Amino acid sequence: MPSSEIVNQIGLSHYLVLSAVLFMMGFLGVLLRRNVLVMMMCIELMLNAVNLAFIAFSKFSGRIDGQIMVFFVMTIAAAEAAVGLAIIVSIFKRFREVNIRFFEHLKG
Amino acid sequence: MNHSLLMATLLLSPFVGFLINGFRYRKNGPNLSGWLATTAIAISFICSVLLVADLVGMPVENRRIAVSFFDWLTVDKLKIAAGFVVDPISAIMILVITGVGTLIHLFSIGYMHHDKGVAKYFAYLNLFVFNMLILVLGDSLLTMFVGWEGVGLCSYLLIGFWFTDKDKAAAGMKAFITNRIGDAAFLLGMFLLFMTFGTLNFHDLNQLAPTLPEASWLGAATLGTLLLFIGATGKSAQIPLYVWLPDAMAGPTPVSALIHAATMVTAGIYMIVRLNAMFMAAPNTMMVIAVIGAATALMAASIGMTQWDIKKVLAYSTVSQLGYMFLAAGVGAFGVAMFHLMTHAFFKALMFLGSGSVIHAMHEEQDIRKMGGLKKYMPITHITFFFGWLAIIGMPPFAGFFSKDEILWKAMSSPLGHPLLWVAGVLGAVMTAFYMTRLMALTFWGKSRVPKEVHPHESPALMTIPLIVLGILSIVGGWLGINHAISSILPGHPANVLEHWLGPVLLEPSLEGVHQSMTMEWALMGVSVGLAAISAFVAYHFYVRSPETPQKISEALGPVYRLVSKKYLVDELYAGTIINPLVAFSRNLWQHIDVQVIDKTTYLLADLMKGGGSVVRGLQTGNMQQYAMYIGLGLVAILSFVIMR
Amino acid sequence: MTADAFIFWFLSLVAVMSGLSVVMMANPIYSALSLAMTMVSLAALFATMGAYFIAGVQVIVYAGAVMVLFVIVLMLFDLREETKAFTRGQISGAIKLAMVGFLAGLVVFVLTQGVKLMAAPDVVDAAKLPEDSSKALGLILFNRHVFGFEALGVLLLVVAVGTVALARSKGGTHAKQ
């Protein structure tokens, strides 16, 4: 049985472990899923995990700079999602496919 | 005047001429380039005269003008400066080089007037004089060697001047390569002398030479001087490296006059005279020099008797006369060698220029069988050539008599001499008289065999004035060295100017204890002059009065005649034993090693690279998720490494 | 278990489960909705940590705008033919799984057993973080990071224009149809 301290005292490591788990799940999704859109969503998941880590650091060090960082990350992630989706829409219009299996043009 | 300034002007004036004509070699016309070049050498001549005049005014014990411009090399013990020395020996040389050089440049203006590459020609000629001056004025073996190589280069450039003709280009190559072989020996000699004495400076070497105890064949002095002598045989066309000089007649005639008669070929003699004390310390080398000199004199003279090209006759004559100079040096008569060098420069340059005049008049015909009776068409050329002829066969009071006779006398009377050497010298003189008279007879005298289309005419003044000046010098030049015996019977007892000039600076074999009989001197003189006169008369009879006689004789001597006229097959011998095997060996090397091994190895390496590249290319599948996996794997590796540490 | 701890464990469970659904679900719409759920739970976590403004922005922007955009685009594609969810290649899939698992294990190991991350005991110290975090955030954002803020604005402008240009009927930068 885990000691009560780990269960009751929520420290920085808890949040960081959660962040790591979420990040690795997102990474796995990027590696394994075929649908381009789902891959994009997994990338968003990774970014969220990172945001969590930032906020956790901000809280436990008492400095507000972590939240500033999250602010920026969020904005840029949103912008990146928008552009990425626009590109995917163009690709779909051209190739009628969203399966990355068909997009190996960098071969050779 | 300031000696440094004079020396610098002396050396740099021809170099500036070379630069100007060289950079503008397409634009400068014959007159501009010719007069520019001649003026450059004339300036050098004036500087030489001024320097020598200063030298004359100096006391006898210390007759040296030494100028050092900058330190050239300083490596450990080797210290060479760009230093130049005018002393009595080099004084003679610079006067001859610049004086005769000016005359030859003047002659060339007329001779090369119609040639397309005139400016290039004069540029090369000026460069040659520059290098020759470095050679004679340099104060160390290395500085001399710079000039030595430089004149070899210019000789190659000028011999192969009309390089579009393959044979002429080949002649240039032959000269250069043969010279190079000599140069290799020269370098080895330099190395040996430096190792032994620790210096290459002439002054120091001459001071240190007598301190050597040994005189055996393997001693440093003997080996070193022997190697230097082999270098001299290359440059001064002695056995075994003389083969390039007859072929060098492919170049323009003034080049033959300047380089292959008056100046470059005398460089070997000059070098030996410069190092007189060193050579005196190696009596074995001196013997070798004397023997080779005598042998060359004989051999070349015999070949000269069979040649039909006017320039080839003169070429073999040059080789023969150089043999005389080496003979003199070999018996220790360095001053006499220089004397003959000077007189030979006068009359040989004169005869080469004269032949140039003849060739010019005969529209580039050089075969003397097609000449004859030219004396009525070309009086000035004939008269000057006549003086040269009398000089070379050794008729008093012309220049050649005094110098050649001194050589023969020293061959007999010097402590290092030998009667056989005298016999060889006299034999050579007899042959010289024969073939030179033959040349005169077939070219100028007798019936004209000139083909009808050719209208020979006298050359313009630009070409005849140098001939006249050289003709005068061929008469009076010998009067600088009137030996003791003759001066005793002349009114006023003229002194031997040359002996007084050169004596103090040369180490010659001491004459004490050797009986010098004046009677013997007169007797030997009479014998050699008499034999030469008889030989000349015989040749005159053969070639003017009854031309069938020499033909009958040559047929009677059949195989011997053929051997001699084919130059004793020496060229063929060299080709067969040395050149062709080397070429075949090189060809084999190329085919088997270069093509099969080296080229194949580089192709192999290239193929390996290509193969490796296409293997690595397999990593690029275009599958983005695979790339992400690689990133992840890398991350795992790094993290594990960091954590495990 | 204290109340704070319970909230943490509950929210983290929700986040992990929905995160797993994002990765595992075959239907992309289900993945999108799971991602939205993850984001909401993360927002709640932010709120528990005192980052109220950030929590609000997370819900409004991320879950409210970005995810809606994803769903719109998903609906644009008619994906009936989609059969397989995961990339083919069993071996590479196994390698990837193993690798990610190992990496996660490494990171967690370092975080829990390794170097002490903070000098002070990593316990929440309520006195340290300013209570009114939004005000503090605003002050610092517009004082120290104003240049970055303005740059973000330019970025968003560019992205807006670019997205419209990209997603037109012909797409790209064609001047005419």
Side-chain angles (χ1 to χ4, degrees), chain B residues 461-542:
Chain B
L462 214 52
M463 287 164 70
T464 52
I465 290 178
L467 290 175
I468 296 172
V469 175
L470 285 170
I472 296 174
L473 282 171
S474 301
I475 303 175
V476 307
W479 298 349
L480 284 170
I482 302 178
N483 65 27
H484 187 65
I486 298 179
S487 86
S488 63
I489 60 163
L490 286 175
H493 300 305
N496 192 336
V497 174
L498 218 58
E499 194 177 307
H500 289 153
W501 179 246
L502 288 176
V505 289
L506 291 175
L507 179 65
E508 299 199 349
S510 132
L511 291 173
E512 32 180 273
V514 179
H515 178 60
Q516 305 268 290
S517 151
M518 205 184 292
T519 329
M520 179 137 98
E521 206 176 329
W522 278 107
L524 294 177
M525 215 185 299
V527 166
S528 61
V529 174
L531 284 175
I534 295 175
S535 165
F537 184 71
V538 168
Y540 176 74
H541 180 81
F542 276 179

Side-chain angles (χ1 to χ4, degrees), chain B residues 310 354-363 365-383 385 439-451 454-459:
Chain B
I310 188 174
S355 73
S357 178
V358 167
I359 293 171
H360 192 70
M362 294 285 296
H363 294 292
E365 176 58 67
Q366 294 183 217
D367 192 330
I368 56 179
R369 290 172 287 196
K370 297 209 181 76
M371 302 183 193
L374 284 178
K375 77 173 178 201
K376 61 175 180 285
Y377 299 110
M378 316 176 67
I380 304 181
T381 309
H382 171 242
I383 276 286
F385 211 101
L439 185 70
M440 285 295 286
L442 285 174
T443 312
F444 290 104
W445 303 333
K447 282 198 308 266
S448 170
R449 293 178 300 279
V450 175
V454 179
H455 303 292
H457 53 88
E458 185 58 85
S459 302

Side-chain angles (χ1 to χ4, degrees), chain B residues 198-529:
Chain B
T199 173
L200 287 175
N201 191 302
F202 286 127
H203 192 69
D204 300 337
L205 280 174
N206 278 332
Q207 305 277 28
L208 291 170
T211 64
L212 276 184
E214 50 66 48
S216 72
W217 276 106
L218 289 177
T222 310
L223 267 182
T225 48
L226 207 54
L227 286 166
L228 288 177
F229 172 62
I230 296 177
T233 61
K235 189 65 80 189
S236 299
Q238 297 295 294
I239 294 172
L241 293 172
Y242 69 93
V243 290
W244 62 272
L245 190 51
D247 284 43
M249 296 300 115
T253 310
V255 168
S256 308
L258 182 61
I259 299 185
H260 308 127
T263 45
M264 185 181 94
V265 293
T266 57
I269 297 289
Y270 172 73
M271 185 263 299
I272 293 179
V273 173
R274 252 274 166 257
L275 282 172
N276 50 80
M278 184 67 70
F279 277 88
M280 283 299 288
N284 288 327
T285 312
M286 296 286 269
M287 179 181 75
V288 171
I289 296 177
V291 169
I292 288 190
T296 312
L298 271 183
M299 178 180 168
S302 63
I303 301 179
M305 293 200 297
T306 61
Q307 296 297 307
W308 298 112
D309 183 329
I310 188 174
K311 284 179 71 172
K312 284 257 167 41
V313 175
L314 291 173
Y316 282 106
S317 166
T318 306
V319 176
S320 176
Q321 295 299 310
L322 287 167
Y324 277 100
M325 291 181 223
F326 276 97
L327 173 58
V331 299
F334 299 114
V336 179
M338 290 298 291
F339 185 27
H340 197 61
L341 190 156
M342 187 178 79
T343 57
H344 174 261
F346 295 148
F347 58 69
K348 194 46 72 62
L350 165 65
M351 286 200 282
F352 264 114
L353 291 184
S355 73
S357 178
V358 167
I359 293 171
H360 192 70
M362 294 285 296
H363 294 292
E364 318 307 325
E365 176 58 67
Q366 294 183 217
D367 192 330
I368 56 179
R369 290 172 287 196
K370 297 209 181 76
M371 302 183 193
L374 284 178
K375 77 173 178 201
K376 61 175 180 285
Y377 299 110
M378 316 176 67
I380 304 181
T381 309
H382 171 242
I383 276 286
T384 50
F385 211 101
F386 190 82
F387 290 151
W389 167 66
L390 285 176
I392 196 175
I393 64 176
M395 288 297 131
F398 290 88
F401 160 70
F402 294 100
S403 54
K404 191 185 286 198
D405 239 72
E406 270 302 288
I407 295 180
L408 294 174
W409 167 239
K410 287 290 182 190
M412 179 71 96
S413 69
S414 162
L416 294 170
H418 194 278
L420 271 180
L421 289 173
W422 178 83
V423 170
V426 171
L427 215 56
V430 167
M431 286 197 270
T432 304
F434 185 83
Y435 68 69
M436 286 311 299
T437 315
R438 167 179 176 268
L439 185 70
M440 285 295 286
L442 285 174
T443 312
F444 290 104
W445 303 333
K447 282 198 308 266
S448 170
R449 293 178 300 279
V450 175
K452 293 222 185 38
E453 319 78 63
V454 179
H455 303 292
H457 53 88
E458 185 58 85
S459 302
L462 214 52
M463 287 164 70
T464 52
I465 290 178
L467 290 175
I468 296 172
V469 175
L470 285 170
I472 296 174
L473 282 171
S474 301
I475 303 175
V476 307
W479 298 349
L480 284 170
I482 302 178
N483 65 27
H484 187 65
I486 298 179
S487 86
S488 63
I489 60 163
L490 286 175
H493 300 305
N496 192 336
V497 174
L498 218 58
E499 194 177 307
H500 289 153
W501 179 246
L502 288 176
V505 289
L506 291 175
L507 179 65
E508 299 199 349
S510 132
L511 291 173
E512 32 180 273
V514 179
H515 178 60
Q516 305 268 290
S517 151
M518 205 184 292
T519 329
M520 179 137 98
E521 206 176 329
W522 278 107
L524 294 177
M525 215 185 299
V527 166
S528 61
V529 174

